[in-house]
Structure formats: structure tokens, C-alpha cells
Amino acid sequence: MLSFEMNDRKKIGLGLTGFGVFFSFLGIIFFFDKGLIAMGNILFFSGVALTIGLKSSLQFFSKRSNFKGTISFGVGFFLVIIGWPILGMILEAYGFVVLFSGFWPTLAVFLQKIPILGWIFQQPYIRSFFDRYRGKRVPV
């Protein structure tokens, strides 16, 4: 049975994921600083692994349908480490979109339920955009 309770491991994982996104953002702001971007990638990966579990993470990243995203994210990470941060970030961004594209419907529902922002996302022209993806299943 799946457990959706928020235990300490998941809290730490969400914190690491948030710090990973923050460090990657700082790395981009500071003219593609490879140290900050690499730190952000390591924190992001470890945060995802702690949040959903090591076994689920390995299954998610090694799924046949996610191979293209996993390979491009890994090659992008390697390019950041060896000193080509701009090309590495482009590959990582592509890999991120391919890997996590199945989560957009869940994100859309979450955005529509935020108290003040939700009103904007519930407007008819924006809601019709979100409703196209609502029926799809989350890929984990």
C-alpha cells in the first residue's frame, strides 16, 4: 500500500529538492557558475530520492519511457561538471521536461487550489488549457 503521509524522510527530501532548485537558479543568475549548478543537481537528485524512496527513484529513472530524459539529464550534468555549464543546462532542461512531463496535470490541479493564485488559474481560457491534461496519470 502506498503511504502519502509526511514523515521526516520526506520532509528532508522536499527540503533538499527545494535547495537544489534554489542553487541551480543561483548558478544561472551568477552567469552559469558550474559549482552552484552542480551543487543544485546533487541536492535535487538526493531530494527526489529521499522524497519518493530509493527504489521508486531507480524505477522511475530507469523506465524505458524515461530513458531519453534520464540520458539527457545525465549528460547535461556531466557537461556541467567538466566545465560547459550552458550546454549542460540546456540538456538538463530538456531532460527535466521529458522526465517530469507526466506531473503537469497534478501541478495544474494544485495551482487551481491555491487561494489567491487559484482564481487566475480558474479563468475559462486558462482552465481549458489545464483541462486537456487532467485525465492523464502520474508516472510514478
Side-chain angles (χ1 to χ4, degrees), residues 14-26:
L14 287 174
L16 288 175
T17 303
F19 277 120
V21 170
F22 177 69
F23 276 102
S24 295
F25 177 72
L26 277 180

Side-chain angles (χ1 to χ4, degrees), residues 18 21 43 49 53 69 77-78 97 107 110 114-115 125:
V21 170
L43 289 172
F77 178 70
F78 178 73
V97 168
L107 180 65
F110 174 74
I114 294 176
Y125 50 93

